[in-house]
Amino acid sequence: MNAHAPHPLDRATRLVRNADDSLTGRTDAAYANMVGPFGGVTAATMLNAALAHPKRLGDPVALTVNYAGPLADGEFRIDAAPVRTNRSTQHWSITARQGEGVTTTATAVFALRRQTWSSTETGFPQVPPAASLQRMQAGALAEWTKRYDMRFVRGGWPDGTKPDQALDSVSTLWIRDDPPRPLDFLSLAAICDSFFPRVMIRRPRWVPAGTVSLTTYFHADTKRLAAEGERPVLGTARASHFGLGYHDQSAEIWSEDGALLATSHQIVYYKE
Amino acid sequence: MNAHAPHPLDRATRLVRNADDSLTGRTDAAYANMVGPFGGVTAATMLNAALAHPKRLGDPVALTVNYAGPLADGEFRIDAAPVRTNRSTQHWSITARQGEGVTTTATAVFALRRQTWSSTETGFPQVPPAASLQRMQAGALAEWTKRYDMRFVRGGWPDGTKPDQALDSVSTLWIRDDPPRPLDFLSLAAICDSFFPRVMIRRPRWVPAGTVSLTTYFHADTKRLAAEGERPVLGTARASHFGLGYHDQSAEIWSEDGALLATSHQIVYYKE
C-alpha cells in the first residue's frame, strides 16, 4: 500500500459536500458484498455524514441504519440534518438516495459524554488470544471479508464439516481492519455489522439473508477508542429468535483488555 | 369504565388525519410520566402513524424511536411517510413536532410475514404463574404505571429494603394493560418501554434517567398477537453496560405459553 494513500475504509466512507449541503459518496470495490456494498461500510458512511458535519455535537451514542433498498455500485447522495440539538445531546436524521430512490435511512444520537458511575454487567468471553488463532481464509467469500483479519473462536463460516444443524447461533471472533487502522467510530460501526447472518451459523449452511435494520449503541468515547490503536477487538453475536422470515442478532464488541466498546442489534431477512 | 368508551391506550395513541396528510395527536393524562407522557405510549403513537396509514404494507418488524426533546402535555403533530415500498417490505420515516420543535423521530420497517423455518434460541424464564404473584402497588409512582398490572418475579421498583447495590440489573415480571385490552402491536410497543430504567434497579434507588433511543423487533404477526387476547405477557430486561452517562437495556417479551413476541433494546441517559 502506498503510505500516502488513504486506508480503504476511509476511501469507502468518504463524503464530498455539495453546494446544497448534501453529500456525495461512492461505493468502493474493496468492500463489495455479493450484491452491492458491505452493509457495515454503508452504516459507517451514514454515521460519517453526521460525524463530519460542522454542527456536530459530541460523540455518537446510538445509530440506527435501515437498509431500505439495494445500493447500486457507484455514486449516492446523503442528506444529513441535526433535527434537534439540546445542551448535551443531538439527534440526526440521515437519508441516502440514488436517483429518486431512497436506499438507506438512519437516525443517530450524539452526546457530550462525561464520567459517571460505571459498571459492566455482561462478562468478557473466555477466549484464547488473537495471536494463538488462525486467520479465516476468505477464499471465495465476498470481497469485503478480505478487508478484515478474522480469527474465529467459534461459529465461523459454515464449511460443510459441521453437523446438519448447529446447537446455537453464537459466533465469537477476534477482528481488526486489514490493513490495520486505528479504531474509531467509523471502523467500530462497520465491525458491528461484520458478523455473518446468524441463520447461516445456526443451520449451518448458506441461506439467502440480509440485514434490514441495524442499531448500535456506543459505550466508548473518542478518547477511549483512540487508545485502542490498531489492536484487534473481540466480537460475539447470537440470535434469540428465527421465524416468519426474520431473525434478530445481538452482538458485543470488546476491547482486548476487556472494555465493552459497543453493543449492536439487528433484524435480518432470511429465506428458508 | 363506560363500555362504549375507548380503552385509555387507544385514546392516548389516537391520531386525527389533517388536510395536509399530517396527523394530530394529544397526550393523555392517563399515561402521564413524571414529566411529559410515558415513552412507551409515545412509541406506540409513532408506530400508529404508520399502522393507520392507508398505504401501509404488512406488519411491523422493526421500530426505532428517538426521544429528541421533551413532549409537553397537549397536542402534537406527526408526519409519517413510507419512504420506500418494496415487494414485501416497507420503510417509514416518522417525525413528531410541537410548534417548530422536533420532539420525537422514528423509523419503522413493515413486512409481509410468511411461514419459514423457525427456532427460539433464548429460553423462556423459569417463573411462577402471574396469578400466584402479588400486583405491584403503584402508590406514589407516575400515573402511567397504574395503567399496567405488573407482577414482579424479581427486580421491582427499589423500595429501600434491598442492599445498597443489587448484584445485577435484571427485572422479570408479568404485565398486562389495566383495564385489560387485547394485545396488539400498539400495546406490545408500549410494554417494551415499561421497564423501569435499569440504573434504578442496579443501584438500587431512584436516579435521574430517561430513554433516549428505543428499538423493538417484533417476532409475532397480527394473527399471533390477536391470539393472545387479554392474557398477561412475561417481560424480562437487563443492562449490559453503564458508563459515560448512558446505559443500554435489552428486553424480551414472551407470551404466557412461551412464544417470544418481541425483543427490545434501548439506550438510557442517567445522572449518577
Side-chain angles (χ1 to χ4, degrees):
Chain A
M1 192 176 76
N2 181 332
H4 299 287
H7 188 282
L9 184 68
D10 293 297
R11 197 177 63 210
T13 57
R14 199 171 73 100
L15 295 167
V16 175
R17 192 163 298 275
N18 304 312
D20 66 356
D21 211 36
S22 71
L23 301 155
T24 298
R26 172 175 275 280
T27 62
D28 195 298
Y31 289 93
N33 206 342
M34 284 180 303
V35 179
F38 163 47
V41 161
T42 303
T45 307
M46 298 296 275
L47 181 62
N48 203 21
L51 269 174
H53 198 284
K55 291 189 181 154
R56 187 250 294 190
L57 178 81
D59 285 341
V61 170
L63 172 70
T64 292
V65 179
N66 303 291
Y67 300 89
L71 187 59
D73 290 337
E75 286 195 351
F76 51 88
R77 169 201 167 112
I78 294 183
D79 292 282
V83 294
R84 178 142 190 160
T85 302
N86 301 309
R87 203 171 40 144
S88 68
T89 60
Q90 187 174 56
H91 287 256
W92 290 83
S93 283
I94 307 160
T95 305
R97 289 181 181 82
Q98 283 184 321
E100 294 305 299
V102 170
T103 62
T104 324
T105 66
T107 59
V109 183
F110 279 61
L112 299 172
R113 305 298 293 255
R114 59 196 166 69
Q115 291 301 323
T116 57
W117 174 78
S118 173
S119 174
T120 302
E121 211 164 299
T122 306
F124 182 76
Q126 297 296 316
V127 292
S132 72
L133 296 164
Q134 282 226 311
R135 179 173 177 173
M136 180 187 75
Q137 295 305 310
L141 297 183
E143 183 64 24
W144 72 266
T145 63
K146 301 180 172 70
R147 299 292 84 71
Y148 290 100
D149 181 325
M150 301 189 190
R151 293 165 190 247
F152 280 87
V153 177
R154 62 175 289 197
W157 183 261
D159 59 1
T161 64
K162 299 189 200 74
D164 216 29
Q165 192 162 321
L167 290 176
D168 65 34
S169 68
V170 177
S171 288
T172 303
L173 72 157
W174 289 104
I175 183 169
R176 69 163 170 75
D177 287 296
D178 183 24
R181 178 185 177 281
L183 193 69
D184 62 7
F185 287 108
L186 295 182
S187 50
L188 185 54
I191 285 171
C192 283
D193 192 39
S194 68
F195 302 95
F196 302 129
R198 295 300 88 198
V199 65
M200 300 196 200
I201 307 303
R202 177 70 169 75
R203 292 304 279 159
R205 55 186 160 80
W206 188 84
V207 172
T211 304
V212 173
S213 184
L214 166 74
T215 291
T216 296
Y217 301 134
F218 298 101
H219 301 297
D221 58 11
T222 297
K223 194 175 145 190
R224 182 71 183 78
L225 292 189
E228 287 305 304
E230 299 177 353
R231 288 184 289 173
V233 293
L234 184 76
T236 185
R238 65 169 185 88
S240 56
H241 182 76
F242 305 81
L244 298 172
Y246 292 84
H247 70 77
D248 65 347
Q249 176 188 288
S250 284
E252 300 157 7
I253 305 290
W254 298 83
S255 73
E256 209 177 34
D257 61 353
L260 188 57
L261 302 176
T263 45
S264 185
H265 309 279
Q266 60 178 265
I267 188 96
V268 178
Y269 161 87
Y270 69 92
K271 196 168 176 179
E272 177 75 336
Chain B
M1 192 176 77
N2 181 333
H4 299 287
H7 188 281
L9 184 68
D10 293 298
R11 198 177 63 211
T13 57
R14 199 171 72 101
L15 295 167
V16 176
R17 192 164 298 276
N18 304 312
D20 66 354
D21 212 36
S22 71
L23 300 156
T24 297
R26 170 175 277 280
T27 62
D28 194 298
Y31 289 93
N33 207 342
M34 285 181 302
V35 179
F38 164 47
V41 161
T42 302
T45 307
M46 299 296 275
L47 180 62
N48 203 20
L51 269 175
H53 197 285
K55 291 190 182 154
R56 187 250 295 191
L57 177 81
D59 285 341
V61 170
L63 171 70
T64 292
V65 179
N66 303 290
Y67 300 89
L71 187 59
D73 290 336
E75 285 193 352
F76 52 88
R77 169 201 167 111
I78 294 184
D79 292 281
V83 295
R84 178 144 190 159
T85 302
N86 301 310
R87 205 172 39 144
S88 67
T89 60
Q90 186 174 56
H91 287 256
W92 291 83
S93 283
I94 308 159
T95 306
R97 291 181 179 82
Q98 283 184 320
E100 293 305 301
V102 170
T103 63
T104 324
T105 66
T107 59
V109 183
F110 280 61
L112 299 172
R113 306 298 291 256
R114 58 194 166 70
Q115 291 301 324
T116 57
W117 174 79
S118 173
S119 174
T120 302
E121 213 165 297
T122 306
F124 182 74
Q126 295 297 317
V127 293
S132 71
L133 296 165
Q134 284 226 309
R135 179 174 177 173
M136 181 187 77
Q137 296 305 311
L141 297 183
E143 183 64 22
W144 72 266
T145 62
K146 301 179 173 67
R147 299 291 85 72
Y148 291 100
D149 180 325
M150 300 189 190
R151 295 167 188 246
F152 279 88
V153 178
R154 63 175 291 196
W157 184 260
D159 59 3
T161 64
K162 300 192 199 73
D164 215 29
Q165 191 160 319
L167 290 177
D168 65 35
S169 67
V170 177
S171 287
T172 302
L173 73 157
W174 290 103
I175 181 168
R176 70 163 170 76
D177 286 297
D178 184 24
R181 177 184 180 282
L183 192 68
D184 62 6
F185 287 109
L186 294 183
S187 51
L188 185 54
I191 284 171
C192 284
D193 192 39
S194 69
F195 301 94
F196 302 128
R198 296 298 90 198
V199 65
M200 301 196 199
I201 307 303
R202 177 68 169 77
R203 294 302 281 162
R205 56 185 160 78
W206 189 83
V207 172
T211 304
V212 173
S213 184
L214 166 73
T215 290
T216 296
Y217 301 132
F218 298 100
H219 302 296
D221 58 10
T222 296
K223 196 175 144 190
R224 183 68 183 80
L225 292 188
E228 286 305 305
E230 298 178 353
R231 288 183 291 174
V233 294
L234 184 75
T236 186
R238 65 169 185 84
S240 56
H241 182 76
F242 304 82
L244 299 173
Y246 292 83
H247 70 77
D248 66 347
Q249 176 188 287
S250 285
E252 299 157 8
I253 306 289
W254 298 84
S255 73
E256 209 177 33
D257 61 353
L260 188 57
L261 302 176
T263 44
S264 185
H265 308 280
Q266 59 177 265
I267 187 98
V268 178
Y269 161 86
Y270 69 92
K271 197 169 175 178
E272 176 76 338

